[in-house]
Amino acid sequence: MVPEGDIIEILVQQEKETKDLLKNLTDEEARFRYEAHKWSIKQLIGHVADTERVMSYRLLAIARGDTTPLPGFDQDAYVEQAAFDEWPLEELLKNFSAVRASTVHLLKGLRDADWTKMGEANQSPLTVRALAYIIAGHERHHRNIIQTRYLQSPRFPHA
């Protein structure tokens, strides 16, 4: 799902595109769920930020030569515990931007050799480079879901 190009520039552009897509939604619209047991838009944005934090930590640990196998995480439990629906949408978008800025700064500080370092996360081998692309692909995947399943739903509560 990630286009060709410089991964750092792609991540910077994604942050702008996501904010532009969501910045004019009301809090009511951002609490919309396209099906009863699906996350709201607010929860989805919180999930993307949380997941990026986890992936960035993995990326940092591997880039710094830490060989400790890194655990998985339960995304549903994270969303449930976060109470993202109670956050103002503006704060969720600021949170996402802060996380993305941190990821971008981390990537800008990597040396060429760091990108190919191998580690283990969630019982799978992966490289620093792979984690950068996972972060970008994960965000793009969820933005596509917001565009197609949420905002285009006939039940979406347009203000």
Side-chain angles (χ1 to χ4, degrees), residues 13-134:
Q13 185 61 35
Q14 279 185 334
E15 187 261 342
K16 292 175 187 170
E17 292 169 0
T18 295
K19 282 178 52 181
D20 285 347
L21 177 66
L22 301 172
K23 68 183 178 187
N24 294 321
L25 294 182
T26 65
D27 278 337
E28 177 189 349
E29 291 169 334
R31 281 191 290 275
F32 175 71
R33 299 163 190 263
Y34 69 91
E35 287 181 11
H37 298 289
K38 296 296 183 181
W39 293 337
S40 69
I41 294 171
K42 285 183 169 189
Q43 289 172 314
L44 211 57
I45 294 305
H47 160 72
V48 168
D50 274 0
T51 301
E52 185 161 333
R53 277 188 176 97
V54 170
M55 296 298 164
S56 289
Y57 170 72
R58 291 173 176 176
L59 190 151
L60 172 66
I62 295 168
R64 299 301 190 252
D66 188 342
T67 59
T68 306
L70 301 165
F73 74 104
D74 183 342
Q75 65 181 11
D76 293 315
Y78 273 46
V79 169
E80 184 179 317
Q81 291 298 311
F84 291 127
D85 276 338
E86 296 172 16
W87 293 36
L89 178 60
E90 183 179 345
E91 289 303 310
L92 283 165
L93 292 175
K94 286 179 184 176
N95 179 56
F96 169 67
S97 292
V99 171
R100 180 53 58 95
S102 177
T103 300
V104 166
H105 285 290
L106 173 61
L107 293 174
K108 284 181 176 180
L110 296 177
R111 298 168 299 182
D112 289 345
D114 294 333
W115 290 87
T116 57
K117 287 183 179 175
M118 290 286 298
E120 181 183 321
N122 200 25
Q123 301 176 331
S124 296
L126 69 171
T127 63
V128 168
R129 182 178 185 278
L131 281 161
Y133 278 85
I134 289 167

